[in-house]
Amino acid sequence: MSASSAWAVTRCRIQRALLGVLLGGTAACAPAAEGPAFTVTERIRVGESPGAVALADLNADGRLDLIVASERNHDVTILLGDGTGRFIEASGSPFAAGNMPNDIAVGRFNADTAPDIAIANHETDHLTVLLGDGSGRFQPAPGSPIRVRVKPHPHGIATADFDGDGHLDLVTDGFETDEVQVLRGDGNGGFSAHAILRVGRHPYQRVRAWDANRDGSADIVTANLRGASVTILAGDGRGGFREAPGSPFPANPFPTAVAIGDFDGDRRLDLAVANSPSNSAGQGTDGLTVLMAGDSGGYRMTGSTPLATGVAPTQLAVGDLDGDGHDDIAVSNMNSGTAIIARLAADRRLVVVATIPVGDLPKGIAVGDLDLDGKQDFVVANNDDAEVAVVLAR
């Protein structure tokens, strides 16, 4: 055990003794987790007010590339990775992405093998779809932008094959009417309205699509801002949905984003939620909530209050950031200028293992191995700095 870990154990014991807590055998203080250190290695200038970010291999070279949505410039910047953690802007970038691009979904929406991009356009009733050519260049899909029937406007977007026809579909949220809209993909980059579905109260910012119950069919997950909950709509693989048993699941006040991962290594998919009352004119604690998957398919919070992460936690990304074989959670704290790494400890407490200063008003965050060293790194969009910070594990 390192000197710093030994002191952490000693300090914990002293604190418990002062509080009059009787320590038992399994209640002893555990050493602090030791994992990779994270360093901001590069700051890349992009368009004004960068928000959402995504990582994908856009040019099939085996290296992760970076997509950055610039809210004020109404475009996306494409940065091609070189496999060392450095990036160069793609030819023709940035590409027009519709009004105030707020969220990004990446998938193959037409018949070629190149990744494409779908974007939620804030303060409009549109989604923008951009088709990639496999080199990092993009052009609008036929029929893009696509009109949607959500109120007041789309915030989040996600993609999955909801109806089992081999073509990716889209889903976006309707904050005002407590709904999401599903759009069916035609395999040529076009999309048409399929279904309007009820969810919890005020789904906000980050609707997501995963096979949450691991039945082979994609499901829809929403963080319900005014419902203090997460809704899961279980898909049947044919385009139909039903609310999962027990849904909506309590998730502490003012959830604004949700991500999925196996945080305890039991091979069941758990949920991570960012709670941001300070960014939502609400009462409560800013921080991170984890909902653990149960034997019966339901979810239960690990604690009664969020883990404090910083001021105005905004977006989440998941990956094994400390190299222990379990998923961890990266959170951008918009009003603290930091990103934190949190994990589930052996006693099922949620703990912060690293706090990294990243820049001014960090928003979008994405995790991936950027320098091909087998360690998970991450990127953060700093909204007020007009830049992306590249943060590598060392």
Side-chain angles (χ1 to χ4, degrees), residues 39-53 66-73 79 314-315 331-340 356-366 378-391:
T39 304
V40 176
T41 59
E42 189 173 10
R43 298 182 183 275
I44 306 169
R45 297 290 295 179
V46 290
E48 290 188 66
S49 300
V53 296
L66 179 56
I67 307 159
V68 187
S70 297
E71 298 163 352
R72 195 172 297 174
N73 286 42
L79 299 165
T314 302
Q315 296 189 34
V331 185
S332 61
N333 299 302
M334 190 169 68
N335 293 342
S336 293
T338 62
I340 66 99
I356 305 102
V358 290
D360 201 0
L361 287 186
K363 293 183 73 173
I365 188 167
F378 65 93
V379 294
V380 182
N382 293 319
N383 195 260
D384 256 15
D385 293 332
E387 68 176 24
V388 175
V390 177
V391 187

Side-chain angles (χ1 to χ4, degrees), residues 167-334:
H167 305 317
L168 287 177
D169 310 306
L170 297 174
V171 60
T172 189
D173 60 277
F175 172 91
E176 191 173 285
T177 55
D178 305 336
E179 295 172 330
V180 295
Q181 180 176 359
V182 177
L183 297 97
R184 177 172 284 165
D186 64 8
N188 295 312
F191 293 87
S192 58
H194 171 61
I196 300 286
L197 307 168
R198 296 285 293 180
V199 292
R201 188 178 175 211
H202 291 186
Y204 190 53
Q205 287 296 346
R206 298 293 176 259
V207 61
R208 290 295 178 251
W210 303 292
D211 183 7
N213 57 10
R214 304 187 74 169
D215 66 352
S217 300
D219 311 312
I220 296 170
V221 186
T222 64
N224 306 315
L225 185 76
R226 299 290 175 179
S229 66
V230 170
T231 291
I232 296 181
L233 299 178
D236 64 7
R238 301 182 300 276
F241 295 87
R242 60 175 176 80
E243 194 156 4
S247 174
F249 301 100
N252 283 317
F254 296 95
T256 61
V258 60
I260 200 164
D262 180 5
F263 304 125
D264 59 357
D266 66 356
R267 300 188 179 183
R268 290 192 290 255
L269 295 175
D270 313 307
L271 301 175
V273 177
N275 301 94
S276 195
S278 73
N279 200 32
S280 309
Q283 301 273 329
T285 302
D286 282 356
L288 175 67
T289 297
V290 165
L291 280 65
M292 303 303 298
D295 294 334
S296 61
Y299 292 86
R300 187 169 61 182
M301 292 190 300
T302 56
S304 58
T305 58
L307 171 72
T309 59
V311 183
T314 302
Q315 296 189 34
L316 305 170
V318 168
D320 182 8
L321 288 152
D322 61 5
D324 67 352
H326 297 166
D327 283 331
D328 310 301
I329 307 158
V331 185
S332 61
N333 299 302
M334 190 169 68

